[in-house]
Amino acid sequence: MASQESEGQTNPVFKDYLPGSSDLPEQDKPAEPAGPWKQASHTHNLPPGLEYLNQLDRIIIHQQVELLEAILGTETCSKYEIKNHLGQRVYFAVEENGCFNRNLCSPIRSFTIRIADNSGREVITVNRPLRCNSCWFPCFLQELEVQSPPGTVAGYVVQNWDPFLPKFTIQNESKEDVLKIIGPYATCGCFEDVDFEVKALNEMSTIGKISKYWSGFVNNVFTNTANFGIQVPVDLDVKIKAVMIGACFLIDLMFFENSLDGL
């Protein structure tokens, strides 16, 4: 488990990626809670560094282009920019794992992704253990833990067994089911976006989606870079928004890691 960073401390792993100003806009007042997935805490009780997520209903995740990976065909540690709908960077994420793990296990590799705010303070930690990626092993399917602040569990993403569709459950810190994510039968979108719908637990009503954006023939064929969008209600519990970011990373690795995926 990652140790909790003291407030204001800059993690060295992010020292080359800081954009400068860490000023955040004034926070909106959270909406009145009306469901298990809605914001239940006041702004001053939010995990440090997640205050900005409190006012967002759209999150863009952009994977950085890795030239060495494109040229040599080897897996390198992924880096992501996490932005608001205006394209302004909110967080920066860096994957940590071993070279052997990345290249041998690739889509099912274990990892720790550390997410820092604009001051370089680590605010979210995403841990993925090495688990199976096949519906033939329903007892050892994918699980992912999201911590915020690092060292404190915010929630989980759990893969559900289904012979046809990609299905996941979003859980809170107590492992109580909160939301479902259901993907399409075919995740290789032919020159179009691929949507994973975020649904209520009854799987009847859709409240948002995680989309893998079509980024062009050259990017999809010659690199593993990807662009994702997360659309959720603005009053979604901020911890669950952090878990949704973790779910986006998991979906990327499971379904879009290979260079020809997304065509």
Side-chain angles (χ1 to χ4, degrees):
M1 271 193 184
S3 60
Q4 184 174 350
E5 298 287 334
S6 60
E7 188 167 348
Q9 182 177 354
T10 300
N11 192 324
V13 74
F14 302 108
K15 64 182 179 181
D16 296 327
Y17 306 106
L18 304 183
S21 174
S22 61
D23 293 337
L24 298 178
E26 186 177 350
Q27 305 302 312
D28 294 334
K29 183 179 179 180
E32 188 71 21
W37 48 265
K38 290 197 174 185
Q39 184 64 265
S41 57
H42 297 291
T43 302
H44 62 273
N45 291 327
L46 299 179
L50 295 193
E51 300 89 350
Y52 193 80
L53 287 182
N54 194 47
Q55 59 186 331
L56 295 183
D57 60 355
R58 284 184 289 172
I59 302 168
I60 307 299
I61 298 181
H62 172 66
Q63 186 176 359
Q64 300 294 286
V65 175
E66 294 295 332
L67 185 59
L68 181 63
E69 182 175 339
I71 295 174
L72 301 181
T74 59
E75 290 290 342
T76 59
C77 287
S78 298
K79 302 179 181 67
Y80 303 85
E81 284 188 315
I82 301 173
K83 306 176 181 179
N84 61 19
H85 69 284
L86 298 176
Q88 299 166 332
R89 182 193 292 176
V90 180
Y91 303 114
F92 194 90
V94 177
E95 176 187 5
E96 291 182 358
N97 51 22
C99 179
F100 180 81
N101 185 14
R102 288 195 307 273
N103 288 279
L104 181 66
C105 303
S106 196
I108 63 169
R109 66 183 183 257
S110 60
F111 62 68
T112 295
I113 293 181
R114 304 190 186 279
I115 303 175
D117 62 14
N118 285 336
S119 68
R121 173 184 56 174
E122 184 179 346
V123 296
I124 303 172
T125 304
V126 180
N127 292 315
R128 180 200 191 189
L130 182 64
R131 295 178 70 90
C132 183
N133 194 20
S134 171
C135 65
W136 298 110
F137 298 94
C139 296
F140 205 63
L141 294 177
Q142 293 293 311
E143 289 188 6
L144 182 145
E145 179 190 79
V146 178
Q147 303 172 4
S148 185
T152 302
V153 175
Y156 302 87
V157 183
V158 179
Q159 183 184 8
N160 305 130
W161 184 87
D162 190 279
F164 303 111
L165 298 175
K167 288 189 176 183
F168 303 87
T169 297
I170 301 295
Q171 299 178 333
N172 62 18
E173 65 272 23
S174 302
K175 287 209 165 186
E176 298 169 336
D177 295 352
V178 177
L179 292 170
K180 296 282 187 178
I181 298 177
I182 302 178
Y185 175 76
T187 57
C188 52
C190 296
F191 307 101
E192 62 182 13
D193 297 346
V194 180
D195 293 331
F196 287 71
E197 294 185 334
V198 181
K199 294 180 174 287
L201 291 178
N202 59 13
E203 299 186 8
M204 299 298 292
S205 57
T206 300
I207 68 165
K209 63 181 179 179
I210 296 176
S211 300
K212 195 274 184 183
Y213 296 138
W214 165 252
S215 54
F217 181 81
V218 173
N219 276 345
N220 279 292
V221 172
F222 295 106
T223 74
N224 288 335
T225 58
N227 293 296
F228 285 85
I230 302 173
Q231 296 184 33
V232 292
V234 69
D235 55 352
L236 181 69
D237 189 331
V238 71
K239 291 183 180 179
I240 301 302
K241 289 182 182 180
V243 177
M244 294 294 294
I245 293 174
C248 188
F249 291 139
L250 180 61
I251 288 171
D252 179 24
L253 267 292
M254 288 181 65
F255 302 105
F256 305 105
E257 175 65 12
N258 295 325
S259 59
L260 292 181
D261 286 354
L263 284 181

